Amino acid sequence: MTAPLKVKLAGMLEVVYPALDCDFLAEQLLKTMGLAPNQAPPPPHQNNWDESDVVLITYADTLRQEGEKPLVTLHRFLDEHLRDVISAVHILPFFPYSSDDGFAVMDYLAVNESHGTWEDIERIAGDFKLMADLVINHMSARSRWFENFRKRVDPGKDYFFEASPKDDLSAVVRPRTSPLLNPVQTEDGERYVWCTFSEDQVDLNFANPQVLIEFAGIIRSYLEHGVRLFRLDAVAFLWKEPGTPCIHLQQTHELIKILRLLIEHHTPESVIITETNVPNRENLTYFGNANEAHIIYNFSLPPLLINTLVTGNCRHLKTWLMSMPPAQMGTTYLNFIASHDGVGLRPTDGLLDDAEKQRLINTMESFGGKVSYRRAADGRDQPYEINIALYDALKGTAEGGADHWQLSRFLCAHTIMLALEGIPAFYIHSLLATENDYERMENTGRLRSINRSQWQLDTLKETLADPLSHHSKAFSELKRLIAIRRRQPAFHPNATQFTLHLGLQIFGFWRQSMRRDQSIFCIHNISSELQEIALSDINLIGTDHWVDLISGLAIEDLAGSITLKPYQCVWLSNRA
């Protein structure tokens, strides 16, 4: 018999807060969330997604129109251009903020007035599944909570994590080169606050259970405004203990379980996504036993896929794919190859050697990219991410430089992403094939701004209406490929996947629907040369009729072969 919700919650809280009255804390959390102590759980291992799910990632103000709030402009663009293309939209932090393009939140419960209102958010949530960021690790140094921390009053007095410069912090894993501890003058003297990312982003103190209760209230508010997918930003750093790496600590995993328990009891179709830009094996731990994240980002995919396409060699991508465990029912991967951040290099640890990483970095720099660094435990600065627009990242090869295959290479990358196990997510600037924005980068002084352009809506519409522009060509073809994908049961995020071995210039895998009524052989020429494949090597079943879903061409002679042009892809299906 399943334990009542309060009993289960109290047991989980005891792992994090063994010295506290966890029965009382459980009561407070349930009251804050509006849940009954004996509320029934949702069905276990439930997939809240299918093959029709496709996510768009965008800032609230990426699209702008004179005299109109950006959230209104975004909604109109979604309605006019993407209503039958995407199922969900991830609007990056739309709250009042002081830095980092939204990730230094000043007020979790307000919409940035320059973007729009909660009513605008709710209207988008009425037409698409809405993903929002729960910026849970840190908060703005200009927030009311932090001002109260300085004044030594509540709420906020004990909401931020403090440490001493005398503490042993040598093992702490850093994603940045900025100081970890920053001195702050308060009403009762100088205190040192923990800043994982920047001086303006002060880490919250979840050792104080009141912070957890505050976030339960924030989550409930988001649910009531229509949010159904919660992206837990930088969650791997949530719990700190000097003398440890302060990443992936057990209390962090337990807190994710607690948040999931609360969220899915409130709204069973809601989903938690953990944002953990770390090496692949570490990333996989956030599935837990199908009781932590419903979805994890496939952080190794962007650098490995870019590396594959600029080297014309899929060995590392294939090795990685073979090592990836099938996600349990009720969990899956979020596949992306570009985002508002850079192309992470830590997820390649153990997958690319140092020389291969450096070759990738050199290639991206030759295509206009920049490199951000992090401070390693030995005190040295190491490459952390490559900042570049995906369209420019794929403008050529490592050996030959820029060439005329840029658009084909770019489309090949997305075709691979669309077919992989998991849910595909498109950063809006990839869907639009936006190039490096050097002007914005210079204006902000931040390398990540190279891939955070803003489009005037009228200009964008004119560009997309021009059939000769690469933006129009990419947008039209990507929408066509998405439409094909959304009709295929074999592309369900949890459908079977096996890696094919077709040489180093052909990247292939097989998908089979959960009812076993459809097979799709996904085959991609990742080189700039023609490639011929004997159909006997693919092992197509002779009694079935096979068709390439992308071109519509039927396969008549199973004893013959197919020739793939540079970067051409085929989805061979026994069900048209």
Side-chain angles (χ1 to χ4, degrees), residues 306-322:
I306 292 171
N307 184 70
T308 292
L309 288 164
V310 300
T311 62
N313 186 320
C314 68
R315 178 168 66 92
H316 294 307
L317 185 64
K318 187 165 62 171
T319 300
W320 165 77
L321 192 66
M322 288 188 292

Side-chain angles (χ1 to χ4, degrees), residues 116-344:
T117 65
W118 275 118
E119 287 73 22
D120 297 323
I121 292 291
E122 290 169 3
R123 279 189 280 271
I124 294 174
D127 290 337
F128 304 90
K129 297 176 186 177
L130 177 62
M131 186 194 304
D133 287 271
L134 193 65
V135 186
I136 195 170
N137 179 70
H138 49 262
M139 195 178 188
S140 169
R142 290 173 51 193
S143 64
R144 182 173 68 92
W145 283 1
F146 197 68
E147 286 301 314
N148 287 348
F149 173 86
R150 291 176 182 272
K151 296 173 183 176
R152 311 309 296 145
V153 298
D154 288 322
K157 177 183 175 183
D158 299 310
Y159 281 15
F160 296 89
F161 194 83
E162 300 176 54
S164 167
K166 297 178 182 179
D167 290 334
D168 178 9
L169 306 177
S170 60
V172 175
V173 173
R174 297 299 319 283
R176 297 289 186 272
T177 58
S178 56
L180 178 62
L181 299 183
N182 282 289
V184 176
Q185 291 298 325
T186 73
E187 291 294 331
D188 57 9
E190 185 177 67
R191 292 170 176 266
Y192 284 85
V193 293
W194 191 286
C195 300
T196 297
F197 292 93
S198 77
E199 187 175 357
D200 188 46
Q201 294 165 293
V202 188
D203 286 38
L204 292 153
N205 178 24
F206 275 85
N208 177 359
Q210 188 59 40
V211 175
L212 178 60
I213 294 171
E214 292 274 14
F215 270 89
I218 293 165
I219 288 167
R220 181 179 179 181
S221 175
Y222 291 2
L223 287 164
E224 291 171 350
H225 285 300
V227 174
R228 291 297 176 264
L229 295 91
F230 290 81
R231 178 185 182 269
L232 304 190
D233 177 64
V235 70
F237 302 97
L238 200 62
W239 194 272
K240 289 90 178 169
E241 288 183 4
T244 76
C246 297
I247 187 172
H248 312 317
L249 297 188
Q250 187 56 41
Q251 292 91 334
T252 292
H253 287 279
E254 292 298 326
L255 286 166
I256 293 171
K257 294 175 189 175
I258 289 166
L259 295 177
R260 171 169 172 162
L261 188 74
L262 295 171
I263 288 171
E264 65 184 10
H265 274 77
H266 186 284
T267 306
E269 67 270 22
S270 292
V271 166
I272 282 180
I273 303 171
T274 49
E275 188 264 332
T276 48
N277 188 3
V278 295
N280 195 51
R281 290 184 179 181
E282 299 172 26
N283 190 33
L284 289 169
T285 65
Y286 285 86
F287 277 141
N289 294 316
N291 59 353
E292 294 186 35
H294 297 89
I295 302 173
I296 64 172
Y297 280 82
N298 239 338
F299 272 107
S300 295
L301 179 60
L304 287 181
L305 184 50
I306 292 171
N307 184 70
T308 292
L309 288 164
V310 300
T311 62
N313 186 320
C314 68
R315 178 168 66 92
H316 294 307
L317 185 64
K318 187 165 62 171
T319 300
W320 165 77
L321 192 66
M322 288 188 292
S323 73
M324 291 296 285
Q328 293 187 55
M329 290 299 171
T331 68
T332 194
Y333 299 101
L334 190 73
N335 295 322
F336 73 109
I337 48 178
S339 75
H340 62 291
D341 290 338
V343 180

Side-chain angles (χ1 to χ4, degrees), residues 492-552:
H492 186 285
N494 294 91
T496 298
Q497 176 174 283
F498 284 108
T499 308
L500 302 177
H501 299 277
L502 301 168
L504 297 179
Q505 283 70 53
I506 300 290
F507 179 61
F509 49 91
W510 171 68
R511 304 293 309 278
Q512 184 182 60
S513 61
M514 290 188 286
R515 293 184 178 182
R516 300 187 178 183
D517 58 349
Q518 184 185 30
S519 286
I520 303 178
F521 289 86
C522 308
I523 302 169
H524 319 87
N525 181 359
I526 51 86
S527 78
S528 57
E529 305 293 334
L530 290 174
Q531 299 294 329
E532 187 171 359
I533 309 166
L535 291 172
S536 58
D537 290 341
I538 304 173
N539 198 26
L540 303 180
I541 297 174
T543 56
D544 289 348
H545 297 285
W546 297 90
V547 63
D548 172 22
L549 297 172
I550 296 176
S551 67

